[in-house]
Amino acid sequence: MTRRWRALRRRVLTPSASQAHLSVRGFHVKSPAARELLETVGETFLTGYAYAAEARVPQEAEERLESVPSEFRGFAYEGAGMGFAIRDGLPFGGTQVSRFLEGRARDHIYMVYVGMGWAMARLPRFRWAKASAAATDPLLRWLVLDGYGFHQAYFHTERYVRQQYREPDFPWPAGGPASYASRVIDQGIGRAIWFVAGADPGRAADLIEAFDATRRADLYSGAGLATTYAGAADQEELGVFLRRAGTHRPQVAQGAVFAATARFQAGLVTEHTKMATQLLCGITPARAAELADKSRTEPLDGTAVPPYELWRQRIASGLDELRRATP
């Protein structure tokens, strides 16, 4: 009976895999290869979500997640992060995400935090405190909002991307600041724009440039993360995107550092990760992870700038210093 109940819970909680198809979403199709990769990303996310929905304990899902091919495994952990956060946020929910992060998910903490943001987008606001309770890292917790922004742009594309809707006075995290919460949501929207554009660099840049100029830096940062982590673009195409970014190249590079760090820490670096990090940042994924860690471990308080934003600025500045030091 318990096994049948878990299978039923999986069917009830898990969206259809067709929701990840570009044709269903109305996203641009650049090429059959790009479509296949982006749809595989979405389907793998939903696979991880389903593993979490069905698991008796988080470690049970972990065993299945580790069987996912390394190129896509991070997306499966992101989906599982959402699944466990949904379970935490439901009535009689427990501490599934916290227990999940005690295992191998620690190495995928970036992705799990993003997954919590997906869950918040699907739950009533009065359930957000439970769904996000495991986001205890004062710096990385902002990634929850990145996930929220991605979800909204991915599933409500007309409103959040084409109409450039922005939520006023966002209520999470408690204590805000709400103005900065909106900026991190924009970073998630920028990441989703890479999918909406079908990994077409020109189309992605066109979508970003349609936004108010004050929002573009964060949108380009998110898109830079997606180009590096998800891929579906070759070296020439990434060069096009970097040129289109113009004055926002430092933000593209900063997003790429986040992506490279997430893959490096999880042991999921691919050839695309290496190529994109070198092109967008001028360094290897290992150096990117080192820079992110160094920029984080230095004091981040004592300023009016939110620590997460200061961290991002230090990464961008560190990249600039490395470029100027290179003969």
Side-chain angles (χ1 to χ4, degrees), residues 125 166-172 178-179 181-182:
R125 289 191 175 187
R166 196 172 203 177
E167 300 188 37
D169 301 321
F170 200 79
W172 193 97
S179 59
S182 296

Side-chain angles (χ1 to χ4, degrees), residues 108-165:
H108 304 269
I109 189 169
Y110 281 63
M111 308 304 284
V112 174
Y113 270 52
V114 168
M116 282 189 268
W118 280 69
M120 283 172 51
R122 290 293 178 102
L123 290 167
R125 289 191 175 187
F126 71 90
R127 293 289 181 187
W128 284 9
K130 285 285 293 178
S132 63
T136 57
D137 187 299
L139 211 56
L140 296 184
R141 67 174 182 167
W142 291 98
L143 289 171
V144 173
L145 292 179
D146 185 299
Y148 179 91
F150 185 100
H151 176 282
Q152 299 301 75
Y154 192 88
F155 287 102
H156 307 291
T157 309
E158 181 64 29
R159 188 180 195 196
Y160 281 82
V161 176
R162 297 189 178 92
Q163 296 178 14
Q164 296 100 42
Y165 174 74

Side-chain angles (χ1 to χ4, degrees), residues 21-318:
H21 293 175
L22 270 62
S23 59
V24 172
R25 303 258 55 84
F27 295 170
H28 176 65
V29 176
K30 178 183 70 174
S31 67
R35 176 179 61 191
E36 180 180 3
L37 189 149
L38 295 177
E39 289 183 349
T40 300
V41 167
E43 290 167 1
T44 306
F45 176 96
L46 292 174
T47 295
Y49 181 96
Y51 290 166
E54 189 175 3
R56 181 177 53 86
V57 293
Q59 288 66 36
E60 186 177 285
E62 179 185 284
E63 294 174 5
R64 304 176 74 180
L65 291 165
E66 287 298 310
S67 69
V68 175
S70 59
E71 181 180 1
F72 300 104
R73 192 177 304 156
F75 299 108
Y77 269 93
E78 182 182 355
M82 177 188 178
F84 284 126
I86 287 283
R87 290 176 60 179
D88 285 349
L90 292 175
F92 310 109
T95 56
Q96 300 287 331
V97 179
S98 294
R99 293 163 62 196
F100 186 45
L101 287 169
E102 291 172 358
R104 293 184 180 180
R106 284 193 306 270
D107 296 331
H108 304 269
I109 189 169
Y110 281 63
M111 308 304 284
V112 174
Y113 270 52
V114 168
M116 282 189 268
W118 280 69
M120 283 172 51
R122 290 293 178 102
L123 290 167
R125 289 191 175 187
F126 71 90
R127 293 289 181 187
W128 284 9
K130 285 285 293 178
S132 63
T136 57
D137 187 299
L139 211 56
L140 296 184
R141 67 174 182 167
W142 291 98
L143 289 171
V144 173
L145 292 179
D146 185 299
Y148 179 91
F150 185 100
H151 176 282
Q152 299 301 75
Y154 192 88
F155 287 102
H156 307 291
T157 309
E158 181 64 29
R159 188 180 195 196
Y160 281 82
V161 176
R162 297 189 178 92
Q163 296 178 14
Q164 296 100 42
Y165 174 74
R166 196 172 203 177
E167 300 188 37
D169 301 321
F170 200 79
W172 193 97
S179 59
Y180 190 68
S182 296
R183 288 191 55 190
V184 185
I185 290 172
D186 273 355
Q187 292 157 33
I189 292 172
R191 192 161 54 89
I193 281 175
W194 187 246
F195 287 75
V196 175
D200 182 311
R203 188 173 291 259
D206 287 343
L207 289 170
I208 291 172
E209 293 297 324
F211 281 75
D212 185 85
T214 60
R215 302 178 65 180
R216 293 174 195 163
D218 290 312
L219 294 166
Y220 269 114
S221 176
L225 196 160
T227 62
T228 306
Y229 198 99
D234 59 24
Q235 185 169 348
E236 181 179 352
E237 290 173 318
L238 291 184
V240 169
F241 186 70
L242 194 59
R243 288 192 295 274
R244 287 291 306 272
T247 58
H248 300 302
R249 289 185 182 189
Q251 286 75 38
V252 171
Q254 176 271 311
V257 166
F258 270 14
T261 301
R263 280 200 173 273
F264 181 81
Q265 290 183 349
L268 303 178
V269 171
T270 66
E271 289 304 312
H272 175 84
T273 313
K274 297 175 185 176
M275 180 273 289
T277 310
Q278 186 63 49
L279 178 66
L280 301 179
C281 308
I283 55 177
T284 65
R287 286 294 301 277
E290 180 183 348
L291 174 61
D293 184 61
K294 178 183 177 182
S295 300
R296 179 182 179 180
T297 53
E298 295 174 359
L300 288 166
D301 53 7
T303 174
V305 179
Y308 183 77
E309 178 57 23
L310 184 57
W311 184 33
R312 295 174 67 242
Q313 290 177 7
R314 284 183 176 177
I315 289 172
S317 296

